[in-house]
Amino acid sequence: MKKKLVFWVLTVLMVSALILTACQPSAEPAPPAEEPAQVEEPEPVEEPEEFVFGMLLVGPYNDRGWSQAHHEAGEYVMENLPGTRMIYLDVVNTADRPGTTAAQLAEELVQQGAQLVVFNSDDMKDDAVEFTRNNPDVYVIHASGDSVWAEGENYVPLPNMVNVMGEMEYGKMIAGCDAALHTQTGSIGYLGPLINEETRRLVASSYLGAQYCWENYLGNDPADLNFRVTWIGFWFNIPGFTEDPTQVANEFINTGVDVIISGIDTTEALVEARKATGEGNQVYAIPYDYVGACDEAPEVCLGVPWYNWGPAYLRHITSAMNGTWESVFEWLPPDWGDINNHDTTAIGYVSGPGMSPDNEALLQQFIDELAGGLNLWVGPLNFQDGTTFLAEGQEATDHEIWYLPQLLEGIEGRSE
Amino acid sequence: MKPSRTRNISILFQLGGLVLAFGFVSLILLLIDADPIQAFSLLWEGAVGNTTRIASVFVVWVPIVLVTCGVLVTFTAGLWNIGIEGQITIGAIFTTGVIRMFLDTPVNPVLVIILSMLAGMLGGALWAVLAGVLKVFSGVNEIFGGLGLNFIATALNIGLIFGAWSRPGVASMSGTEPFPEVYWLPTFQNFRFSWYSILLSVIGLVVIYFLLQGTHFGLRLKAVGKSIKSAFRLGITTWQHMLLAFLVCGVFAGLAGALQVVAVYHRLIPSISSGYGFMGLMIGMLINYQAIWVAPIALFFAALNIGGIQLPIVMKLDSALTGVLQGSLVLFVLLMQGVKQRVLGKQ
């Protein structure tokens, strides 16, 4: 009897506590949708002028890849814009932070004083939109998203959101060219993350760059170039949930691939290339995302196409601070004057120590051609299933490239 | 010795376990040059600092309560239902499957939600009974059977998310396409939790409490759990009771999975079980299988989970620290139980 009584008392207490706390939202800092929570937060009292921006990183902040590139961009903003401070949360994905959502974690950054939140992954799109809607007074930068692209397919008018993305298509074309110049077996492997429009267009760009250099610089038959992609299922390895990128890289190497282009956020391709090279089988890799990615295994690194988010973030955070914020979708090109200028370019390509001097000259020639207006997204180009993508002489529009529905003919691997 | 005194001593030892666990985690924090006081106050602040956070705690509380209720039944029957994670996952898969079936039909969304949740319970129950059948008829220990079934459930889940149920043109571990809002369990104001979820878990608590404390079925399960042979000699149909225990546990796990889909994520994601199954097992051990403690201890664990988010933001510590605290809590409390038995035994 006594136990039953205790049980009931506990249950009633808990439920009533819940009702009491939940029914009086006005007594506490307001729920997110109604009021700008950050204004009422007492926390940022030390420096009233400080502007706090928060960042949600999909991977570890030090992944030598996508997330580190964002993290360093945040540091760049702090260096160049006095009065700003970054707070961040990394490994924001449901496998690493079970039971949470990106929108919920963004709220936590706001609770800590963030007036602007960066969502750094396309994967967070639904959460970014939900959060932006519910927090009209918090600025949001969704990197790699397309939600506020008026001509895009997922347009949602959100005055407090900005979309930023670099034209990595160029970086990947350069990577593809670099791979084609160095392959001895004529086999290039693309270590793919998950499959979506973004990753399809980047794989296709790599293929276009590889084809161009293979044919025009080396004078080879296009049919002799083998280009295939294997997808692991996410931006990085999540044991038990994704394919193991180490195994995929090995599978490439065991089946004749001697240059691996990485599309994932981490550096497994480099590590496996070094291992194979150490065993007498020369294999190169081209990592992705982060300017310092080659450091993991410099001797087998041909180069890295990298994102430079700093200047764009600096611009948007400045405009948030001085009240000139505007909701825009930006797909930013490299600074063709110097594609590796940290203050001006949106994407770049750094040659790695594995690059041979002869090929370096050829690769520079290719970069110069791109800078001069060379467009590889010109027909005739077919989709993987043989249907026509672009007729002879037809140029792809931004829309067609961004929303590439299939891989291109000549690429082996899943399109969706 | 009077029963009340025994109980007091028991509580004393359990509190001792609690203190040791906090001491252990403080030691770890000191070793990495972090301030334990700051960490614990952040945990507290992060869990109850405002209504949004409290609401988030209850979002996590619901599945933990349901799952713990489920494992109490199997624990009572002397079974280690390690397969609980898989049962949550299959529940979520069944729920998602039913909603997908009715997506573009005129069927009333409320009906679809109810059907999908029933399907989730069915799915969880089937997966649990499978573990039971393997144990009863093939002699596969439920721990190994459960582990195997967990792997299969995960593989099936990933296969569906990455393949048959992937978003159009997309294959990503971020999950399936979110369902339209009409198929979401309504949440309270702008908070993340739903009264319906809370109600279901409270009903679950009541059902389990009375099932285990006040019914013949509960008594017979206890007999099976204490000793299969004696129970058999007493005329209890042992294997049927084991299967029933699995079935009941599976229903609860399936419901937890269903709620993860209709109330929390509104889609199927790879880590849909979120480790709540294992957490339920931990809590079951921690509370020595007494249903009365499920609600508060689950609340405590849920609060740790939500409060833990502050650690990486403010102190650059890994959130996994809360997992260490939860795990060491179980270990130290069990350890203290052992100590208590030795001490009392000597008296």
Side-chain angles (χ1 to χ4, degrees), chain B residues 142-256:
Chain B
E142 77 274 13
I143 294 179
F144 302 120
L147 274 180
L149 288 169
N150 282 351
F151 275 113
I152 297 173
T154 305
L156 180 64
N157 192 25
I158 289 172
L160 287 169
I161 290 169
F162 207 61
W165 290 355
S166 65
R167 297 179 181 211
V170 175
S172 163
M173 283 301 134
S174 67
T176 58
E177 179 102 356
F179 296 123
E181 273 190 50
V182 288
Y183 297 106
W184 299 12
L185 217 53
T187 56
F188 177 65
Q189 291 183 2
N190 289 311
F191 297 106
R192 290 176 63 231
F193 82 91
S194 164
W195 282 119
Y196 296 99
S197 306
I198 307 272
L199 183 71
L200 284 170
S201 35
V202 171
I203 293 174
L205 274 171
V206 175
V207 167
I208 286 302
Y209 182 81
F210 286 110
L211 190 73
L212 295 182
Q213 307 292 330
T215 64
H216 278 108
F217 175 68
L219 209 60
R220 288 197 295 267
L221 276 187
K222 245 178 233 171
V224 174
K226 293 270 186 232
S227 162
I228 292 188
K229 274 184 190 158
S230 331
F232 185 70
R233 288 199 187 114
L234 283 169
I236 297 171
T237 48
T238 50
W239 67 262
Q240 290 91 330
H241 276 79
M242 284 187 181
L243 282 189
L244 272 174
F246 272 114
L247 181 101
V248 174
C249 183
V251 167
F252 275 86
L255 179 60

Side-chain angles (χ1 to χ4, degrees), chain B residues 258-290:
Chain B
L259 287 173
Q260 286 287 92
V261 173
V262 294
V264 182
Y265 287 106
H266 313 121
R267 63 182 199 270
L268 191 61
I269 60 167
S271 52
I272 193 79
S273 67
S274 301
Y276 294 147
F278 292 135
M279 202 174 282
L281 289 167
M282 283 212 296
I283 296 175
M285 285 186 277
L286 184 65
I287 61 179
N288 203 16
Y289 322 133
Q290 298 168 54

Side-chain angles (χ1 to χ4, degrees), chain B residues 56-199:
Chain B
S56 295
V57 169
F58 277 93
V59 172
V60 179
W61 181 77
V62 167
I64 299 181
V65 163
L66 288 172
V67 164
T68 311
C69 284
V71 297
L72 286 191
V73 180
T74 38
F75 269 136
T76 304
L79 297 164
W80 282 82
N81 187 13
I82 298 287
I84 184 101
E85 286 277 324
Q87 290 146 29
I88 302 172
T89 306
I90 296 294
I93 291 176
F94 271 52
T95 302
T96 310
V98 168
I99 300 181
R100 286 180 60 88
M101 248 192 291
F102 289 102
L103 261 188
D104 295 314
T105 64
V107 181
N108 185 340
V110 176
L111 187 66
V112 174
I113 293 177
I114 294 171
L115 275 180
S116 72
M117 286 169 62
L118 288 173
M121 289 152 88
L122 176 73
L126 281 178
W127 212 245
V129 168
L130 198 54
V133 167
L134 283 173
K135 162 140 185 127
V136 172
F137 297 114
S138 320
V140 180
N141 185 304
E142 77 274 13
I143 294 179
F144 302 120
L147 274 180
L149 288 169
N150 282 351
F151 275 113
I152 297 173
T154 305
L156 180 64
N157 192 25
I158 289 172
L160 287 169
I161 290 169
F162 207 61
W165 290 355
S166 65
R167 297 179 181 211
V170 175
S172 163
M173 283 301 134
S174 67
T176 58
E177 179 102 356
F179 296 123
E181 273 190 50
V182 288
Y183 297 106
W184 299 12
L185 217 53
T187 56
F188 177 65
Q189 291 183 2
N190 289 311
F191 297 106
R192 290 176 63 231
F193 82 91
S194 164
W195 282 119
Y196 296 99
S197 306
I198 307 272
L199 183 71

Side-chain angles (χ1 to χ4, degrees), chain A residues 161-179:
Chain A
M161 182 188 266
V162 157
N163 289 140
V164 179
M165 184 61 175
E167 285 185 353
M168 183 45 81
E169 291 64 35
Y170 288 113
K172 286 292 185 179
M173 285 178 197
I174 301 168
C177 174
D178 203 344

Side-chain angles (χ1 to χ4, degrees), chain A residues 38-101:
Chain A
Q38 78 278 14
V39 178
E40 291 171 20
E41 280 292 306
E43 273 127 315
V45 277
E46 316 108 45
E47 287 179 56
E49 286 170 26
E50 185 183 58
F51 187 92
V52 181
F53 63 97
M55 225 183 246
L56 294 178
L57 306 170
V58 65
Y61 76 97
N62 57 354
D63 63 356
R64 287 176 186 272
W66 176 263
S67 289
Q68 187 163 355
H70 283 267
H71 186 255
E72 294 196 357
E75 289 177 337
Y76 175 88
V77 172
M78 284 196 286
E79 272 167 35
N80 288 281
L81 197 55
T84 53
R85 180 167 64 90
M86 170 172 63
I87 53 176
Y88 71 92
L89 189 61
D90 65 352
V91 291
V92 175
N93 59 79
T94 50
D96 284 310
R97 298 199 180 277
T100 63
T101 67

